[in-house]
Amino acid sequence: MKNECIPGNLMKPLLKFLLTGLDYLHTVCHIIHTDLKPDNILLGIEDEEIISELIKEEEKDPTPAKLYDNRCIYAHRNFGNLRGPPGRPKIADFGLAVRSPDDGTYNHPIQPDLLQAPEVILRAGWSYSADIWNLGVMIWDLLEGRSLFGASDPETNTYSAGLHLDEMISLFGPPPKQLLLRGGSATSYFTSDGNPVNRETQEARGTGLESTITTLFGEDKELFLDFVTRMLQWLPENRPTARELLKDPWLCS
């Protein structure tokens, strides 16, 4: 899956499969994926006849390829428009996955920059619920066809964790003090009063996600906002589990 716009009526059934898989990882395998992103979600082919057609086309007109560092790299082949609903999505690439720690949390950096949970940035200890935040941001990105967060330093054009936290504040309001107190790197971004370092100390008020959603409308939009807001909570312990999310009204509507 690439970071392109996916309509809500297609997102819901796909998301049910992903949440079912994530629940299995968390509750049965006791594994935290840590790297949920569109590149790591595989969709089954919608029509097996495509494979037969591909073989015939390759025999007739082979795809251009070249050797690079002892690897054969093939040019992209366009398969055209979807011929029907895609196959079941699958969570892939467990190269960075970890088993649940004995003491309850980990503290090392994980997740793609713009999908990082606040407890990961703040080094406040993360566990299964980091995957829930990760998935929540990814869903928003796929529905809107763009990134919820920018977090790019205009001077260096590189990722800035401080700007990322600023953007979270603008959407969700200031982080709870209890999260900052347990964050090993919180003092790099916030004062003892909970205000952003080197920024205006006026209490930030969250503008909410409502104005950022442009692809859903009416009751469907309201239900989605309730759904994704449950996932994008500052405090990890306030986020629902994958199994709980499967019962959410938006997915069942």
Side-chain angles (χ1 to χ4, degrees):
M1 293 172 64
K2 292 186 178 181
N3 194 13
E4 298 175 350
C5 184
I6 296 179
N9 61 348
L10 179 59
M11 175 66 74
K12 292 177 186 180
L14 295 180
L15 189 53
K16 287 180 182 179
F17 283 114
L18 295 182
L19 285 170
T20 300
L22 199 58
D23 173 59
Y24 179 79
L25 286 178
H26 289 175
T27 62
V28 178
C29 303
H30 305 291
I31 287 177
I32 310 167
H33 189 277
T34 78
D35 193 27
L36 293 173
K37 56 184 178 181
D39 289 349
N40 289 341
I41 307 298
L42 304 182
L43 290 180
I45 193 166
E46 74 275 13
D47 185 351
E48 293 186 1
E49 184 62 26
I50 294 175
I51 303 299
S52 299
E53 294 174 4
L54 175 63
I55 293 174
K56 293 178 182 178
E57 290 178 8
E58 281 294 317
E59 292 175 346
K60 181 179 178 181
D61 183 19
T63 301
K66 66 178 181 179
L67 288 175
Y68 177 77
D69 195 21
N70 295 324
R71 292 180 298 159
C72 190
I73 301 175
Y74 292 87
H76 171 71
R77 179 181 286 274
N78 188 350
F79 290 91
N81 296 326
L82 284 173
R83 303 182 185 182
R88 293 183 178 184
K90 297 180 180 180
I91 300 172
D93 193 349
F94 290 82
L96 299 177
V98 296
R99 292 194 176 275
S100 177
D102 294 334
D103 63 356
T105 61
Y106 285 109
N107 236 337
H108 63 271
I110 56 168
Q111 301 176 317
D113 289 340
L114 297 182
L115 301 179
Q116 283 187 92
E119 67 269 23
V120 174
I121 299 174
L122 296 170
R123 291 181 57 210
W126 54 265
S127 188
Y128 297 114
S129 55
D131 278 347
I132 300 299
W133 174 284
N134 196 162
L135 184 62
V137 178
M138 189 183 79
I139 293 167
W140 189 100
D141 291 355
L142 289 173
L143 277 173
E144 288 294 309
R146 55 194 174 94
S147 297
L148 176 60
F149 299 107
S152 179
D153 188 323
E155 295 184 0
T156 62
N157 199 31
T158 57
Y159 171 78
S160 167
L163 291 177
H164 195 174
L165 290 167
D166 281 353
E167 292 175 4
M168 290 181 188
I169 293 172
S170 72
L171 291 173
F172 312 119
K177 292 288 182 65
Q178 58 264 46
L179 179 64
L180 299 182
L181 287 174
R182 63 189 190 222
S185 63
T187 55
S188 298
Y189 307 107
F190 296 92
T191 67
S192 59
D193 295 327
N195 293 307
V197 172
N198 297 326
R199 298 172 180 87
E200 294 184 10
T201 57
Q202 180 181 354
E203 181 177 345
R205 296 186 179 275
T207 58
L209 285 172
E210 183 173 2
S211 62
T212 70
I213 300 295
T214 63
T215 58
L216 300 176
F217 306 94
E219 183 182 10
D220 197 39
K221 177 178 179 179
E222 294 302 319
L223 289 174
F224 171 73
L225 285 168
D226 290 341
F227 172 74
V228 77
T229 299
R230 295 175 65 200
M231 304 173 75
L232 302 180
Q233 294 287 320
W234 279 107
L235 288 173
E237 57 268 29
N238 287 350
R239 298 172 206 147
T241 64
R243 181 171 299 180
E244 290 169 339
L245 286 167
L246 279 167
K247 302 176 183 178
D248 189 88
W250 183 68
L251 285 184
C252 300
S253 63

